[in-house]
Amino acid sequence: MEYLYDGSWRPAKGVALDMDYYATATSGTGGRFTLTHPYLLSDDGTFTVRTSLDSYLADLHLTASHAQLKVDVINRTNICFCSSWLDEYSDLHIQGGMNGSKGKVPPNRKLYFQQSADGKSDWKSLGWFTTKCDGTFNLDAYVSVPKGYWRLYSAGSSDYRSGYSDSVHFNRTATRITGFDAGPEPVRKGHTSTSTGILQRLSGTKWVAFGKQRVSILFRAKGKKSWTRSGSVKADSHGHFTARFTAEQDGTWVGVYLASGSYVDAESDHDYVDVR
């Protein structure tokens, strides 16, 4: 705060000021003052600082004065995993919402889907999606590694700070059917068609035998859209399974493991067999 005297500006001490009526202060040594807005700001705005209009506080020897300042508000970002679960198909379902300071909703914000093995380091982005106009989201995402920690991340912008959601933890074990083969091909109608393969589960970073588990064998006739369960077979201690059926018509065979407990379903490659 300064006043003009004899052609030069000098510090004005003891002058009452206010900022849009929200805050008041009195200039001190060197004319300096501090005004603090008492409320959390959620939008950009222009504020006016002026010498007090209160007749009891106004300085009778100074003309009224004011100055304006623009404030760019960068909102905090809050991301909530309101509910989440990982199913037996290795699909992670997440529902939640995103908002900023004072509940202000950032529309159509891009959120990155991240995963970490221990929830502390080496977070990797698996992809991204955009929130709805009200900041909410309802997403189903397939995860190739169904064990670990997941979170959401929003990059910063001119209006919002960057932010992370809390992490969620799920622990399912991936399975697979490898080496699936149906044959012989071609096979004569009425003769035996044999389906073989190996059921495995992921242990650390290695695939190991998943023995003593039941594998279903499905068949889809040529030209049809639906599958028929032809039967099931139990894998031996090494994960190997063999199932035999009577060949009736051309079609595709597939082996399926339906998970129980903390495992994930597995489906083999499809194998077409020509019946003559």
Side-chain angles (χ1 to χ4, degrees), residues 121-137:
S121 60
D122 196 27
W123 287 93
K124 296 179 180 178
S125 290
L126 306 179
W128 61 269
F129 63 94
T130 303
T131 63
K132 298 178 183 178
C133 59
D134 61 356
T136 62
F137 51 84

Side-chain angles (χ1 to χ4, degrees), residues 21-141:
Y21 300 106
Y22 289 112
T24 59
T26 301
S27 60
T29 303
R32 300 192 66 82
F33 62 88
T34 299
L35 288 163
T36 302
H37 200 287
Y39 303 110
L40 184 66
L41 305 179
S42 59
D43 287 304
D44 300 344
T46 301
F47 297 87
T48 301
V49 176
R50 58 195 172 188
T51 54
S52 179
L53 299 179
D54 191 321
S55 59
Y56 292 100
L57 299 176
D59 193 312
L60 300 178
H61 304 288
L62 298 176
T63 57
S65 181
H66 74 276
Q68 288 187 323
L69 66 149
K70 292 184 178 180
V71 177
D72 182 18
V73 176
I74 303 178
N75 282 266
R76 292 196 308 269
T77 298
N78 305 307
I79 307 172
C80 173
F81 266 140
C82 297
S83 65
S84 58
W85 66 96
L86 180 65
D87 66 21
E88 66 274 22
Y89 307 110
S90 201
D91 286 330
L92 181 60
H93 307 266
I94 57 174
Q95 298 175 357
M98 176 182 183
N99 60 38
S101 305
K102 294 188 71 174
K104 183 176 175 63
V105 176
N108 305 318
R109 185 65 57 175
K110 181 184 289 188
L111 293 179
Y112 293 88
F113 189 49
Q114 299 182 328
Q115 183 176 5
S116 166
D118 59 9
K120 299 177 182 179
S121 60
D122 196 27
W123 287 93
K124 296 179 180 178
S125 290
L126 306 179
W128 61 269
F129 63 94
T130 303
T131 63
K132 298 178 183 178
C133 59
D134 61 356
T136 62
F137 51 84
N138 188 338
L139 177 72
D140 297 335

Side-chain angles (χ1 to χ4, degrees), residues 22 81 154 159 175 231 265:
Y22 289 112
F81 266 140
S154 173
D159 296 320
T175 65
D265 289 357

